[in-house]
Coordinates of all heavy atoms in Angstrom, one line a residue:
M1 N 9.9 106.4 -1.2 CA 9.7 105.7 -2.5 C 10.6 104.5 -2.5 O 11.8 104.6 -2.3 CB 10.1 106.7 -3.6 CG 10.0 106.1 -4.9 SD 10.1 107.3 -6.0 CE 10.8 107.7 -7.2
E2 N 10.0 103.4 -2.9 CA 10.8 102.1 -3.0 C 11.5 102.0 -4.3 O 11.0 102.2 -5.3 CB 9.8 101.0 -2.8 CG 10.4 99.6 -2.6 CD 9.4 98.6 -2.4 OE1 8.4 98.8 -1.6 OE2 9.5 97.5 -3.0
Q3 N 12.8 101.6 -4.2 CA 13.6 101.4 -5.4 C 13.6 99.9 -5.7 O 13.7 99.1 -4.8 CB 15.0 101.8 -5.2 CG 15.1 103.3 -5.1 CD 16.6 103.7 -4.9 OE1 17.4 103.0 -4.4 NE2 16.9 104.9 -5.5
S4 N 13.5 99.6 -7.0 CA 13.6 98.2 -7.4 C 15.0 97.9 -7.7 O 15.8 98.7 -8.2 CB 12.7 97.9 -8.6 OG 13.2 98.7 -9.7
C5 N 15.4 96.7 -7.4 CA 16.8 96.3 -7.6 C 17.0 95.9 -9.1 O 16.2 95.1 -9.6 CB 17.1 95.1 -6.7 SG 18.8 94.5 -7.0
Q6 N 17.9 96.5 -9.7 CA 18.2 96.1 -11.1 C 19.5 95.2 -11.1 O 20.2 95.2 -12.1 CB 18.4 97.4 -11.9 CG 17.2 98.3 -12.0 CD 16.0 97.7 -12.6 OE1 16.2 97.0 -13.6 NE2 14.9 97.9 -12.1
C7 N 19.7 94.6 -10.0 CA 20.9 93.7 -10.0 C 20.7 92.5 -10.9 O 19.6 92.0 -11.1 CB 21.1 93.1 -8.6 SG 20.8 94.3 -7.2
Q8 N 21.8 92.0 -11.4 CA 21.8 90.8 -12.2 C 22.9 89.9 -11.7 O 24.1 90.3 -11.6 CB 22.0 91.2 -13.7 CG 21.8 90.1 -14.6 CD 21.8 90.5 -16.0 OE1 22.0 91.7 -16.4 NE2 21.5 89.6 -16.9
R9 N 22.5 88.7 -11.4 CA 23.5 87.7 -11.0 C 24.4 87.3 -12.1 O 23.9 87.1 -13.3 CB 22.9 86.5 -10.3 CG 22.1 86.9 -9.1 CD 21.5 85.8 -8.4 NE 20.4 85.3 -9.3 CZ 19.7 84.2 -9.1 NH1 19.9 83.5 -8.0 NH2 18.8 83.8 -9.9
T10 N 25.6 87.0 -11.9 CA 26.5 86.5 -12.9 C 27.4 85.4 -12.4 O 27.4 85.1 -11.2 CB 27.5 87.7 -13.4 OG1 28.3 88.1 -12.3 CG2 26.7 88.8 -14.0
K11 N 28.1 84.7 -13.2 CA 28.9 83.6 -12.8 C 30.2 83.7 -13.6 O 30.2 83.8 -14.9 CB 28.2 82.3 -13.2 CG 29.1 81.1 -13.2 CD 29.4 80.5 -11.9 CE 29.9 79.1 -11.9 NZ 31.3 78.9 -12.2
I12 N 31.3 83.9 -12.9 CA 32.6 83.9 -13.6 C 33.0 82.4 -13.9 O 33.0 81.6 -13.0 CB 33.7 84.5 -12.7 CG1 33.3 85.9 -12.2 CG2 35.0 84.6 -13.4 CD1 33.1 87.0 -13.3
R13 N 33.3 82.1 -15.1 CA 33.6 80.8 -15.5 C 35.1 80.7 -16.0 O 35.6 81.6 -16.5 CB 32.7 80.3 -16.7 CG 31.3 80.1 -16.3 CD 30.4 79.6 -17.4 NE 29.1 79.3 -16.9 CZ 28.1 80.2 -16.6 NH1 28.4 81.5 -16.9 NH2 27.0 79.9 -16.1
S14 N 35.7 79.6 -15.7 CA 37.1 79.4 -16.1 C 37.1 79.3 -17.6 O 36.1 79.0 -18.3 CB 37.6 78.1 -15.5 OG 37.0 77.0 -16.1
E15 N 38.3 79.5 -18.2 CA 38.4 79.4 -19.6 C 38.1 78.0 -20.1 O 37.5 77.8 -21.1 CB 39.9 79.8 -20.1 CG 40.1 81.3 -20.1 CD 41.4 81.7 -20.7 OE1 41.8 81.1 -21.7 OE2 42.0 82.6 -20.2
E16 N 38.5 77.0 -19.3 CA 38.3 75.6 -19.6 C 36.8 75.3 -19.7 O 36.3 74.6 -20.6 CB 38.9 74.7 -18.6 CG 38.8 73.2 -18.9 CD 39.4 72.3 -17.8 OE1 40.5 72.6 -17.4 OE2 38.7 71.4 -17.3
E17 N 36.0 75.8 -18.7 CA 34.6 75.5 -18.6 C 33.9 76.2 -19.8 O 33.1 75.6 -20.5 CB 34.0 76.1 -17.3 CG 32.5 75.9 -17.3 CD 31.8 76.5 -16.1 OE1 32.5 77.2 -15.3 OE2 30.6 76.4 -15.9
L18 N 34.3 77.5 -20.1 CA 33.7 78.2 -21.2 C 34.0 77.4 -22.5 O 33.1 77.3 -23.4 CB 34.3 79.6 -21.3 CG 33.7 80.6 -20.4 CD1 34.5 82.0 -20.5 CD2 32.3 80.9 -20.7
K19 N 35.2 77.0 -22.7 CA 35.6 76.3 -23.9 C 34.7 75.0 -24.1 O 34.2 74.8 -25.2 CB 37.1 75.9 -23.9 CG 37.5 75.2 -25.2 CD 39.0 74.9 -25.1 CE 39.4 74.2 -26.4 NZ 40.9 73.9 -26.4
R20 N 34.6 74.2 -23.0 CA 33.7 73.0 -23.1 C 32.3 73.4 -23.4 O 31.7 72.7 -24.3 CB 33.8 72.3 -21.7 CG 34.9 71.4 -21.5 CD 34.7 70.5 -20.3 NE 33.9 71.0 -19.2 CZ 34.4 71.7 -18.1 NH1 35.7 71.9 -18.0 NH2 33.6 72.1 -17.2
L21 N 31.7 74.4 -22.8 CA 30.3 74.7 -23.0 C 30.1 75.3 -24.4 O 29.2 74.9 -25.1 CB 29.8 75.7 -21.9 CG 29.7 75.1 -20.5 CD1 29.4 76.2 -19.5 CD2 28.7 74.0 -20.5
F22 N 31.1 76.2 -24.8 CA 31.0 76.7 -26.2 C 31.1 75.6 -27.3 O 30.4 75.7 -28.3 CB 32.0 77.8 -26.4 CG 31.6 79.2 -25.9 CD1 32.5 79.9 -25.1 CD2 30.3 79.7 -26.0 CE1 32.2 81.1 -24.6 CE2 30.0 80.9 -25.5 CZ 30.9 81.6 -24.8
N23 N 32.0 74.7 -27.0 CA 32.2 73.6 -28.0 C 30.9 72.8 -28.1 O 30.5 72.4 -29.2 CB 33.3 72.7 -27.6 CG 34.7 73.3 -27.9 OD1 34.8 74.2 -28.7 ND2 35.7 72.8 -27.3
R24 N 30.3 72.5 -27.0 CA 29.0 71.7 -27.0 C 27.9 72.5 -27.8 O 27.2 72.0 -28.6 CB 28.5 71.5 -25.6 CG 29.2 70.3 -24.9 CD 28.5 70.0 -23.6 NE 29.2 69.0 -22.9 CZ 28.9 67.7 -23.0 NH1 27.9 67.3 -23.8 NH2 29.5 66.8 -22.3
L25 N 27.8 73.8 -27.5 CA 26.8 74.6 -28.2 C 27.1 74.7 -29.7 O 26.2 74.7 -30.5 CB 26.8 76.0 -27.6 CG 26.1 76.1 -26.2 CD1 26.2 77.6 -25.7 CD2 24.6 75.6 -26.2
S26 N 28.4 74.8 -30.0 CA 28.7 74.8 -31.5 C 28.3 73.6 -32.2 O 27.7 73.6 -33.3 CB 30.2 75.1 -31.6 OG 30.6 76.3 -31.2
R27 N 28.5 72.4 -31.5 CA 28.0 71.2 -32.1 C 26.5 71.1 -32.2 O 26.0 70.7 -33.2 CB 28.5 70.0 -31.3 CG 30.0 69.7 -31.5 CD 30.4 68.3 -30.9 NE 30.2 68.2 -29.5 CZ 31.1 68.6 -28.5 NH1 32.2 69.1 -28.9 NH2 30.8 68.4 -27.3
I28 N 25.8 71.6 -31.2 CA 24.3 71.7 -31.2 C 23.9 72.6 -32.4 O 22.9 72.2 -33.1 CB 23.8 72.1 -29.9 CG1 24.1 71.0 -28.8 CG2 22.3 72.4 -30.0 CD1 23.8 71.5 -27.4
E29 N 24.5 73.7 -32.5 CA 24.2 74.7 -33.6 C 24.3 74.0 -35.0 O 23.5 74.1 -35.8 CB 25.0 75.9 -33.6 CG 24.7 76.9 -32.5 CD 25.6 78.0 -32.4 OE1 26.8 77.9 -32.8 OE2 25.2 79.1 -31.8
G30 N 25.4 73.2 -35.1 CA 25.6 72.4 -36.3 C 24.5 71.4 -36.6 O 24.0 71.2 -37.7
Q31 N 24.1 70.8 -35.5 CA 23.0 69.8 -35.6 C 21.7 70.5 -36.0 O 21.0 69.9 -36.9 CB 22.8 69.0 -34.3 CG 23.9 68.1 -34.0 CD 23.7 67.4 -32.6 OE1 23.6 68.1 -31.6 NE2 23.6 66.1 -32.6
V32 N 21.4 71.6 -35.5 CA 20.2 72.3 -35.8 C 20.3 72.8 -37.3 O 19.3 72.7 -38.0 CB 20.0 73.5 -34.8 CG1 18.8 74.4 -35.3 CG2 19.7 73.0 -33.4
R33 N 21.4 73.3 -37.7 CA 21.6 73.7 -39.1 C 21.3 72.4 -40.0 O 20.7 72.5 -41.1 CB 22.9 74.3 -39.4 CG 23.0 75.7 -39.0 CD 24.3 76.4 -39.5 NE 25.5 75.7 -39.1 CZ 26.2 75.9 -37.9 NH1 25.7 76.8 -37.1 NH2 27.3 75.3 -37.6
G34 N 21.8 71.3 -39.5 CA 21.6 70.0 -40.3 C 20.1 69.7 -40.4 O 19.7 69.3 -41.5
L35 N 19.3 70.0 -39.4 CA 17.9 69.8 -39.5 C 17.3 70.7 -40.6 O 16.4 70.3 -41.3 CB 17.2 70.2 -38.1 CG 17.4 69.1 -37.0 CD1 16.9 69.7 -35.7 CD2 16.6 67.9 -37.3
R36 N 17.7 71.9 -40.6 CA 17.2 72.9 -41.6 C 17.5 72.3 -43.0 O 16.7 72.3 -43.9 CB 17.8 74.3 -41.4 CG 17.4 75.3 -42.4 CD 18.1 76.6 -42.2 NE 17.8 77.2 -40.9 CZ 16.8 78.0 -40.6 NH1 15.9 78.3 -41.5 NH2 16.7 78.5 -39.4
E37 N 18.8 71.9 -43.2 CA 19.2 71.3 -44.5 C 18.3 70.1 -44.8 O 18.0 69.9 -46.0 CB 20.7 71.0 -44.5 CG 21.5 72.2 -44.4 CD 23.0 71.9 -44.2 OE1 23.4 70.7 -44.3 OE2 23.8 72.8 -43.8
M38 N 18.1 69.2 -43.8 CA 17.3 68.0 -44.1 C 15.9 68.4 -44.6 O 15.3 67.8 -45.5 CB 17.1 67.2 -42.8 CG 18.4 66.5 -42.4 SD 18.4 65.7 -40.8 CE 17.7 64.1 -41.3
L39 N 15.3 69.5 -44.0 CA 14.0 69.9 -44.5 C 14.1 70.5 -45.9 O 13.2 70.2 -46.7 CB 13.4 71.0 -43.5 CG 12.9 70.6 -42.2 CD1 12.5 71.8 -41.4 CD2 11.6 69.7 -42.5
Q40 N 15.1 71.2 -46.2 CA 15.3 71.8 -47.5 C 15.5 70.7 -48.6 O 15.1 70.9 -49.7 CB 16.5 72.8 -47.6 CG 16.2 74.0 -46.8 CD 17.4 74.9 -46.6 OE1 18.6 74.4 -46.7 NE2 17.2 76.2 -46.4
K41 N 16.0 69.6 -48.2 CA 16.3 68.5 -49.1 C 15.1 67.4 -49.1 O 15.3 66.4 -49.7 CB 17.6 67.8 -48.7 CG 18.8 68.6 -48.9 CD 20.1 67.9 -48.5 CE 21.3 68.8 -48.6 NZ 22.5 68.2 -48.1
D42 N 14.0 67.8 -48.5 CA 12.9 66.9 -48.4 C 13.2 65.5 -47.9 O 12.7 64.5 -48.4 CB 12.2 66.8 -49.8 CG 11.7 68.1 -50.3 OD1 11.2 68.9 -49.5 OD2 11.8 68.4 -51.5
V43 N 14.0 65.5 -46.8 CA 14.4 64.2 -46.2 C 13.1 63.6 -45.5 O 12.3 64.3 -45.0 CB 15.5 64.4 -45.2 CG1 15.8 63.2 -44.4 CG2 16.8 64.9 -45.9
Y44 N 13.1 62.3 -45.5 CA 12.0 61.5 -45.0 C 11.8 61.9 -43.5 O 12.8 61.9 -42.7 CB 12.3 60.0 -45.2 CG 11.2 59.1 -44.9 CD1 9.9 59.2 -45.5 CD2 11.3 58.0 -44.0 CE1 8.9 58.4 -45.2 CE2 10.3 57.1 -43.8 CZ 9.1 57.3 -44.3 OH 8.1 56.4 -44.1
C45 N 10.6 62.1 -43.1 CA 10.2 62.5 -41.7 C 10.9 61.8 -40.6 O 11.5 62.4 -39.7 CB 8.7 62.5 -41.5 SG 7.8 63.6 -42.6
P46 N 10.8 60.4 -40.6 CA 11.5 59.7 -39.5 C 13.0 60.0 -39.4 O 13.5 60.0 -38.3 CB 11.2 58.2 -39.8 CG 9.9 58.3 -40.6 CD 10.1 59.5 -41.4
D47 N 13.6 60.2 -40.5 CA 15.1 60.5 -40.4 C 15.3 61.9 -39.8 O 16.3 62.0 -39.0 CB 15.7 60.5 -41.8 CG 15.6 59.1 -42.5 OD1 15.6 58.1 -41.7 OD2 15.6 59.1 -43.7
I48 N 14.4 62.8 -40.0 CA 14.5 64.1 -39.4 C 14.2 64.0 -37.9 O 14.9 64.6 -37.0 CB 13.6 65.1 -40.0 CG1 14.0 65.4 -41.5 CG2 13.5 66.5 -39.2 CD1 13.0 66.2 -42.3
L49 N 13.2 63.2 -37.5 CA 12.9 63.0 -36.1 C 14.0 62.4 -35.4 O 14.2 62.7 -34.2 CB 11.6 62.2 -36.0 CG 10.3 62.9 -36.5 CD1 9.2 61.9 -36.6 CD2 10.0 64.0 -35.5
I50 N 14.7 61.5 -36.0 CA 15.9 60.9 -35.3 C 17.0 61.9 -35.0 O 17.6 62.0 -34.0 CB 16.5 59.7 -36.1 CG1 15.5 58.5 -36.1 CG2 17.8 59.3 -35.6 CD1 15.7 57.4 -37.0
Q51 N 17.1 62.8 -36.0 CA 18.1 63.9 -35.8 C 17.6 64.9 -34.7 O 18.4 65.4 -33.9 CB 18.4 64.7 -37.1 CG 19.4 65.8 -37.0 CD 20.8 65.3 -36.6 OE1 21.1 64.1 -36.8 NE2 21.6 66.2 -36.0
V52 N 16.3 65.2 -34.6 CA 15.7 66.0 -33.6 C 16.0 65.4 -32.2 O 16.4 66.0 -31.3 CB 14.2 66.2 -33.8 CG1 13.6 66.8 -32.5 CG2 14.0 67.1 -35.0
S53 N 15.9 64.0 -32.1 CA 16.2 63.3 -30.9 C 17.7 63.5 -30.5 O 18.0 63.7 -29.3 CB 15.9 61.8 -31.1 OG 16.2 61.1 -29.9
A54 N 18.6 63.5 -31.5 CA 20.0 63.7 -31.2 C 20.2 65.1 -30.7 O 21.0 65.3 -29.8 CB 20.8 63.4 -32.5
V55 N 19.5 66.1 -31.2 CA 19.7 67.5 -30.8 C 19.2 67.6 -29.3 O 19.8 68.2 -28.5 CB 18.9 68.5 -31.7 CG1 18.9 69.9 -31.1 CG2 19.6 68.5 -33.1
N56 N 18.0 67.0 -29.0 CA 17.5 67.0 -27.7 C 18.5 66.4 -26.7 O 18.7 66.9 -25.6 CB 16.1 66.3 -27.6 CG 15.0 67.1 -28.2 OD1 15.1 68.3 -28.1 ND2 14.0 66.5 -28.7
A57 N 19.1 65.2 -27.1 CA 20.1 64.6 -26.2 C 21.3 65.5 -26.0 O 21.8 65.5 -24.9 CB 20.5 63.2 -26.9
A58 N 21.7 66.2 -27.0 CA 22.8 67.1 -26.9 C 22.5 68.2 -26.0 O 23.3 68.6 -25.1 CB 23.3 67.6 -28.3
L59 N 21.3 68.8 -26.1 CA 20.9 69.8 -25.2 C 20.8 69.3 -23.7 O 21.2 70.0 -22.8 CB 19.6 70.4 -25.6 CG 19.6 71.4 -26.8 CD1 18.2 71.7 -27.3 CD2 20.4 72.7 -26.4
N60 N 20.3 68.1 -23.6 CA 20.2 67.6 -22.2 C 21.6 67.4 -21.6 O 21.8 67.6 -20.4 CB 19.5 66.2 -22.2 CG 18.0 66.4 -22.4 OD1 17.4 67.5 -22.0 ND2 17.3 65.4 -22.9
S61 N 22.5 66.9 -22.4 CA 23.9 66.8 -22.0 C 24.5 68.1 -21.6 O 25.2 68.2 -20.6 CB 24.7 66.1 -23.1 OG 26.0 65.9 -22.7
F62 N 24.3 69.1 -22.4 CA 24.7 70.5 -22.1 C 24.2 70.9 -20.7 O 24.9 71.4 -19.9 CB 24.3 71.5 -23.2 CG 24.6 72.9 -22.9 CD1 25.9 73.4 -23.2 CD2 23.7 73.7 -22.3 CE1 26.2 74.7 -22.9 CE2 24.0 75.1 -22.1 CZ 25.3 75.5 -22.3
S63 N 22.9 70.7 -20.5 CA 22.2 71.1 -19.3 C 22.8 70.3 -18.1 O 23.0 70.9 -17.0 CB 20.7 70.8 -19.3 OG 20.1 71.6 -20.3
R64 N 23.1 69.0 -18.2 CA 23.7 68.3 -17.2 C 25.0 68.8 -16.8 O 25.4 68.9 -15.6 CB 23.8 66.8 -17.5 CG 22.4 66.0 -17.4 CD 22.6 64.5 -17.5 NE 23.2 64.1 -18.8 CZ 22.5 63.9 -19.9 NH1 21.2 64.0 -19.9 NH2 23.2 63.5 -21.0
E65 N 25.8 69.1 -17.8 CA 27.2 69.7 -17.5 C 27.1 71.0 -16.8 O 27.8 71.2 -15.8 CB 28.0 69.8 -18.8 CG 29.4 70.2 -18.5 CD 30.3 70.1 -19.7 OE1 30.0 69.3 -20.6 OE2 31.3 70.8 -19.7
L66 N 26.2 71.9 -17.3 CA 26.0 73.2 -16.6 C 25.5 73.0 -15.2 O 25.9 73.7 -14.3 CB 25.1 74.0 -17.5 CG 25.0 75.5 -17.1 CD1 26.4 76.2 -17.2 CD2 24.0 76.2 -18.1
L67 N 24.5 72.1 -15.0 CA 24.0 71.9 -13.7 C 25.0 71.3 -12.7 O 25.1 71.8 -11.6 CB 22.8 70.9 -13.7 CG 22.1 70.5 -12.4 CD1 21.6 71.8 -11.7 CD2 21.0 69.5 -12.7
S68 N 25.9 70.4 -13.2 CA 26.9 69.9 -12.4 C 27.9 71.0 -11.9 O 28.3 71.1 -10.7 CB 27.7 68.8 -13.1 OG 28.8 68.3 -12.4
E69 N 28.3 71.8 -12.8 CA 29.2 72.9 -12.5 C 28.5 73.9 -11.5 O 29.1 74.3 -10.6 CB 29.5 73.7 -13.8 CG 30.5 74.8 -13.6 CD 31.9 74.2 -13.2 OE1 32.3 73.1 -13.6 OE2 32.7 75.0 -12.5
H70 N 27.2 74.1 -11.7 CA 26.5 75.0 -10.8 C 26.4 74.4 -9.4 O 26.7 75.1 -8.4 CB 25.0 75.2 -11.3 CG 24.2 76.1 -10.5 ND1 24.5 77.4 -10.2 CD2 23.0 75.8 -9.8 CE1 23.5 77.9 -9.4 NE2 22.6 76.9 -9.1
L71 N 26.2 73.1 -9.3 CA 26.2 72.4 -8.0 C 27.5 72.5 -7.3 O 27.6 72.8 -6.1 CB 25.7 71.0 -8.1 CG 24.3 70.7 -8.5 CD1 24.1 69.3 -8.8 CD2 23.4 71.2 -7.4
H72 N 28.6 72.3 -8.0 CA 29.9 72.2 -7.4 C 30.4 73.6 -7.1 O 31.3 73.7 -6.2 CB 30.9 71.5 -8.4 CG 30.7 70.1 -8.4 ND1 30.0 69.4 -9.4 CD2 31.2 69.1 -7.6 CE1 30.0 68.1 -9.2 NE2 30.7 67.9 -8.1
T73 N 29.9 74.6 -7.7 CA 30.5 76.0 -7.4 C 29.5 76.9 -6.7 O 29.6 77.1 -5.5 CB 31.0 76.7 -8.7 OG1 29.9 76.7 -9.7 CG2 32.1 75.9 -9.4
C74 N 28.4 77.3 -7.4 CA 27.5 78.2 -6.9 C 26.7 77.7 -5.6 O 26.7 78.3 -4.6 CB 26.5 78.6 -7.9 SG 27.2 79.4 -9.4
V75 N 26.1 76.5 -5.8 CA 25.3 75.9 -4.7 C 26.2 75.6 -3.5 O 25.9 76.0 -2.4 CB 24.5 74.7 -5.2 CG1 23.8 74.0 -4.0 CG2 23.5 75.1 -6.3
A76 N 27.3 74.9 -3.8 CA 28.2 74.5 -2.7 C 28.7 75.8 -1.9 O 28.8 75.8 -0.7 CB 29.4 73.7 -3.2
G77 N 29.1 76.8 -2.7 CA 29.6 78.0 -2.1 C 28.6 78.7 -1.3 O 28.9 79.2 -0.2
N78 N 27.4 78.8 -1.8 CA 26.3 79.4 -1.0 C 26.0 78.7 0.3 O 25.8 79.3 1.3 CB 25.0 79.6 -1.9 CG 25.0 80.8 -2.7 OD1 24.8 81.9 -2.2 ND2 25.3 80.7 -4.0
L79 N 26.0 77.4 0.2 CA 25.7 76.6 1.4 C 26.8 76.7 2.4 O 26.5 76.9 3.6 CB 25.6 75.1 1.0 CG 24.3 74.7 0.3 CD1 24.3 73.3 -0.1 CD2 23.0 75.0 1.1
R80 N 28.1 76.8 2.0 CA 29.2 77.0 2.9 C 29.1 78.4 3.6 O 29.5 78.5 4.7 CB 30.5 76.9 2.2 CG 31.0 75.5 1.9 CD 32.4 75.5 1.3 NE 32.5 74.3 0.5 CZ 32.5 74.3 -0.9 NH1 32.5 75.4 -1.5 NH2 32.7 73.2 -1.5
Q81 N 28.5 79.3 2.9 CA 28.3 80.7 3.5 C 27.0 80.8 4.3 O 26.7 81.8 4.8 CB 28.3 81.7 2.4 CG 29.6 81.8 1.7 CD 29.6 82.8 0.5 OE1 28.6 83.4 0.2 NE2 30.7 82.9 -0.2
G82 N 26.3 79.7 4.4 CA 25.1 79.7 5.2 C 23.8 80.1 4.5 O 22.8 80.3 5.1
N83 N 23.9 80.3 3.2 CA 22.7 80.7 2.4 C 21.9 79.5 1.9 O 22.1 79.0 0.9 CB 23.2 81.5 1.2 CG 22.1 82.0 0.3 OD1 20.9 81.9 0.7 ND2 22.4 82.6 -0.8
D84 N 21.0 79.1 2.8 CA 20.1 77.9 2.5 C 19.1 78.2 1.4 O 18.5 77.3 0.9 CB 19.5 77.4 3.7 CG 20.4 76.8 4.7 OD1 21.6 76.5 4.3 OD2 20.1 76.6 5.9
E85 N 18.9 79.5 1.1 CA 17.9 79.9 0.1 C 18.2 79.3 -1.3 O 17.4 79.1 -2.1 CB 17.7 81.4 0.0 CG 17.1 82.0 1.2 CD 17.2 83.5 1.2 OE1 17.6 84.1 0.1 OE2 16.8 84.2 2.2
V86 N 19.5 79.0 -1.5 CA 20.0 78.4 -2.7 C 19.3 77.1 -3.0 O 19.2 76.7 -4.1 CB 21.5 78.4 -2.8 CG1 22.1 77.3 -1.9 CG2 22.0 78.2 -4.2
I87 N 18.9 76.4 -1.9 CA 18.3 75.1 -2.1 C 16.9 75.3 -2.7 O 16.5 74.5 -3.7 CB 18.2 74.4 -0.7 CG1 19.6 74.0 -0.2 CG2 17.3 73.1 -0.9 CD1 19.6 73.5 1.2
D88 N 16.2 76.3 -2.3 CA 14.9 76.6 -2.9 C 15.0 76.9 -4.4 O 14.2 76.5 -5.2 CB 14.1 77.7 -2.1 CG 13.8 77.3 -0.7 OD1 13.5 76.1 -0.5 OD2 13.7 78.2 0.1
E89 N 16.0 77.7 -4.7 CA 16.3 78.1 -6.0 C 16.6 76.8 -6.9 O 16.1 76.7 -8.0 CB 17.5 79.1 -6.1 CG 17.8 79.5 -7.5 CD 19.1 80.3 -7.6 OE1 20.2 79.7 -7.2 OE2 19.1 81.4 -8.0
L90 N 17.4 76.0 -6.3 CA 17.8 74.7 -7.0 C 16.6 73.9 -7.3 O 16.4 73.3 -8.4 CB 18.9 74.0 -6.3 CG 19.3 72.7 -6.9 CD1 19.9 72.9 -8.3 CD2 20.3 72.0 -5.9
V91 N 15.7 73.7 -6.3 CA 14.5 72.9 -6.4 C 13.6 73.5 -7.5 O 13.1 72.7 -8.4 CB 13.7 72.8 -5.1 CG1 12.3 72.3 -5.3 CG2 14.5 72.0 -4.1
E92 N 13.5 74.8 -7.6 CA 12.7 75.4 -8.6 C 13.3 75.2 -10.0 O 12.6 74.9 -11.0 CB 12.6 76.9 -8.4 CG 11.7 77.7 -9.4 CD 10.3 77.2 -9.4 OE1 9.8 76.6 -8.4 OE2 9.6 77.5 -10.4
V93 N 14.6 75.3 -10.1 CA 15.3 75.0 -11.4 C 15.1 73.6 -11.8 O 14.8 73.3 -13.0 CB 16.8 75.4 -11.3 CG1 17.6 74.8 -12.5 CG2 17.0 76.9 -11.2
L94 N 15.3 72.7 -10.9 CA 15.0 71.2 -11.2 C 13.6 71.0 -11.7 O 13.4 70.2 -12.6 CB 15.5 70.4 -10.1 CG 16.9 70.3 -9.8 CD1 17.2 69.6 -8.5 CD2 17.7 69.7 -10.9
R95 N 12.7 71.6 -11.0 CA 11.3 71.5 -11.4 C 11.0 71.9 -12.8 O 10.4 71.2 -13.6 CB 10.4 72.3 -10.4 CG 8.9 72.0 -10.6 CD 8.0 72.9 -9.8 NE 8.2 74.3 -10.1 CZ 7.6 74.9 -11.2 NH1 6.9 74.2 -12.0 NH2 7.8 76.2 -11.4
K96 N 11.6 73.0 -13.2 CA 11.5 73.5 -14.6 C 12.2 72.6 -15.6 O 11.7 72.4 -16.7 CB 12.0 74.9 -14.7 CG 11.1 75.9 -14.0 CD 11.7 77.3 -14.0 CE 10.8 78.3 -13.3 NZ 11.3 79.7 -13.3
L97 N 13.4 72.1 -15.2 CA 14.1 71.2 -16.1 C 13.4 69.9 -16.3 O 13.5 69.3 -17.4 CB 15.5 70.9 -15.5 CG 16.5 72.0 -15.6 CD1 17.8 71.6 -14.9 CD2 16.8 72.4 -17.0
M98 N 12.6 69.4 -15.4 CA 12.0 68.1 -15.5 C 10.6 68.2 -16.1 O 9.9 67.2 -16.0 CB 11.9 67.5 -14.1 CG 13.3 67.1 -13.6 SD 13.1 66.4 -11.9 CE 14.8 66.1 -11.6
K99 N 10.2 69.3 -16.6 CA 8.9 69.4 -17.3 C 8.8 68.4 -18.5 O 9.7 68.2 -19.2 CB 8.6 70.8 -17.8 CG 8.1 71.7 -16.7 CD 7.7 73.0 -17.3 CE 7.2 73.9 -16.2 NZ 6.8 75.2 -16.7

């Protein structure tokens, strides 16, 4: 009988990295709450769309920071250990990010 792996990969992050990422997410949450308030106040559509663009930019910035950290730690470490499969994983992640 074949057992399925219930393993889950994790990443230990430094306190500094966690703080940076949590701060970015907190700002993004505030921006999203601002969008909700704009809708409740019947703000003009283009003004809301500009704020949506700012949220998208903030999420992209968060993704870039997380990707950079991933490349410098996880990917580099795997390559040093001879695990070239991490390249295929990275290519797939980039493909999904660039949709």
Side-chain angles (χ1 to χ4, degrees):
M1 178 166 136
E2 188 176 315
Q3 291 183 328
S4 63
C5 178
Q6 298 298 321
C7 318
Q8 189 170 3
R9 296 180 295 178
T10 59
K11 162 82 163 77
I12 306 294
R13 293 180 172 80
S14 69
E15 284 189 38
E16 181 183 315
E17 179 187 2
L18 280 174
K19 184 177 178 181
R20 276 194 328 268
L21 292 173
F22 279 136
N23 285 341
R24 282 185 181 272
L25 286 177
S26 292
R27 284 193 299 272
I28 292 166
E29 286 174 337
Q31 288 176 301
V32 171
R33 281 192 302 275
L35 285 171
R36 180 183 302 270
E37 291 170 14
M38 291 173 87
L39 282 175
Q40 289 171 335
K41 294 177 182 177
D42 297 323
V43 172
Y44 191 52
C45 297
D47 296 334
I48 296 172
L49 290 169
I50 289 169
Q51 183 62 24
V52 169
S53 178
V55 171
N56 284 331
L59 283 168
N60 285 334
S61 180
F62 175 85
S63 293
R64 280 190 302 273
E65 185 168 338
L66 192 59
L67 179 60
S68 175
E69 186 67 27
H70 179 62
L71 289 170
H72 285 97
T73 58
C74 303
V75 173
N78 274 286
L79 289 174
R80 282 187 206 106
Q81 294 174 5
N83 180 8
D84 290 345
E85 293 173 5
V86 72
I87 294 171
D88 293 332
E89 177 188 63
L90 178 60
V91 168
E92 182 63 19
V93 167
L94 291 173
R95 186 185 66 74
K96 289 177 181 179
L97 285 175
M98 293 179 178
K99 279 187 176 179

